[in-house]
Amino acid sequence: MINDVTVTRAISERFFEKFQSALELDTAIVGAGPSGLVAACYLARAGRRVAVFESKLSTGGGIWGGGMLMNEIVVQDDALEILDDFGIVHRAYRDGYHTADAVHTAAALAYRATEAGVIVLNACRVEDVLFRDGRITGVVVLWSPVASAGLHVDPLSIGARTVLDATGHAAEVAHVTVRKLDAKLATETGGIVGERSMWAESGERAVIEHTGEIFPGLYAAGMAVAAIHGGYRMGPIFGGMLISGRKVSEIIKRDLDGAGPGAAGSESGRKAVPVTGSGRS
Ligand code: 48H
């Protein structure tokens, strides 16, 4: 016999267990695209407490549609070990080029990340950051349907020792950090340089190279890196996104352990210039 109220009780109790365990994190990841899910999975496998906040209902970001809605993705040699690590089936195409089914890839990334213990809060939009003593110390969230309905509802705060902007082309966390805190980022100009046109070879290289901390406590991976640092776009080749996700997980792990230049929880400012004032976010 099924009791309808028990179903409601089960969902609400289990959901709030999950939500409560996401209130104080080692890493808050904004965006459940390929770079965010790969970073989340490796951090969780290394024992870190990680949650991913995704404004859409589905995870996977830009993977599902492959290129122009042809649902295959291309991956280069360097990223094959990540595909293998996630159990993603791939096929050799020509020298150095491999393909994978986009739906299978999106599903496998979400499966492996959640299997590793990553909490995913979907339909949950990050609209602001927490800022204390010169560092980003968390994110401010609101349910996406509430945000898009324009309801006057206050958001809630999530504490995190490190925050990852994996929001893709929009680089939303970096934008809010610059806009609201007058922050100087660790970029060539100190601001958000803006994404350039299509040039896959250069774009992939630059995304991987510039993946890392952009402001104390705030890191960027994936397409957000191209937007922040002024890299070229690369179309539906996804190796750079996966490698960028893995690279940022290594950097964050090092910083959480206190071994890196931007040691999480410390006040070191790395290349970024801390904003003045005591914080107003
Ligand atoms: C919560 C948010 C918010 C927010 C956005 O776009 P993505 O797939 O990101 P990446 O960087 O992992 O992968 C990029 C890739 O998909 C791509 O677009 C490529 C390779 N393009 C090349 C080209 O030339 O165009 O995923 C980002 C995710 C999405 O699911 C968004 O919904 C989500 O972030 N998101 N989630 N709060 N404020 N903003």
Side-chain angles (χ1 to χ4, degrees):
M1 205 179 101
I2 294 170
N3 181 306
D4 298 277
V5 175
T6 306
V7 173
T8 307
R9 199 180 300 285
I11 286 179
S12 54
E13 263 182 43
R14 288 291 150 83
F15 175 76
F16 283 106
E17 271 169 25
K18 207 156 50 180
F19 191 73
Q20 295 259 342
S21 67
L23 297 187
E24 286 176 304
L25 298 167
D26 288 321
T27 310
I29 296 183
V30 190
S35 66
L37 288 176
V38 166
C41 184
Y42 283 122
L43 282 162
R45 283 183 185 174
R48 304 311 195 282
R49 183 179 285 256
V50 184
V52 179
F53 301 89
E54 167 54 53
S55 61
K56 299 210 174 100
L57 199 50
S58 62
T59 59
I63 292 184
W64 298 97
M68 212 172 132
L69 280 187
M70 291 179 251
N71 65 358
E72 288 281 323
I73 60 164
V74 170
V75 169
Q76 57 275 55
D77 286 339
D78 293 350
L80 284 191
E81 62 182 20
I82 301 177
L83 292 186
D84 291 337
D85 220 5
F86 279 75
I88 296 170
V89 177
H90 50 85
R91 290 170 61 197
Y93 181 64
R94 293 189 183 155
D95 258 10
Y97 297 83
H98 309 265
T99 60
D101 180 90
V103 173
H104 169 66
T105 305
L109 290 175
Y111 178 71
R112 293 299 176 201
T114 49
E115 177 191 55
V118 172
I119 298 165
V120 177
L121 291 172
N122 55 350
C124 188
R125 183 177 170 69
V126 169
E127 54 167 50
D128 208 340
V129 291
L130 300 181
F131 173 72
R132 299 289 180 278
D133 302 325
R135 324 183 28 93
I136 301 302
T137 57
V139 292
V140 174
V141 299
L142 186 60
W143 298 124
S144 305
V146 175
S148 52
L151 301 177
H152 187 165
V153 176
D154 282 338
L156 289 172
S157 303
I158 307 284
R161 296 172 66 204
T162 54
V163 172
L164 174 61
D165 186 342
T167 61
H169 296 269
E172 291 203 16
V173 188
H175 272 288
V176 82
T177 302
V178 167
R179 192 174 69 245
K180 291 203 172 183
L181 299 169
D182 302 326
K184 290 270 181 290
L185 304 183
T187 64
E188 225 171 82
T189 61
I192 293 169
V193 182
E195 177 187 305
R196 294 179 209 272
S197 298
M198 185 85 92
W199 181 7
E201 171 72 28
S202 170
E204 288 285 88
R205 209 174 331 107
V207 160
I208 296 164
E209 187 186 323
H210 291 293
T211 290
E213 198 177 23
I214 51 168
F215 187 78
L218 177 62
Y219 300 73
M223 207 57 207
V225 174
I228 292 164
H229 289 277
Y232 287 87
R233 68 186 304 183
M234 68 294 292
I237 183 157
F238 278 81
M241 301 299 119
L242 306 175
I243 296 169
S244 171
R246 183 179 60 184
K247 179 179 174 185
V248 84
S249 76
E250 296 297 330
I251 295 170
I252 290 174
K253 265 187 279 178
R254 181 201 67 193
D255 291 354
L256 286 169
D257 291 342
S266 80
E267 292 182 6
S268 65
R270 210 183 174 198
K271 280 177 280 172
V273 181
V275 300
T276 52
S278 58
R280 55 190 162 97
S281 64

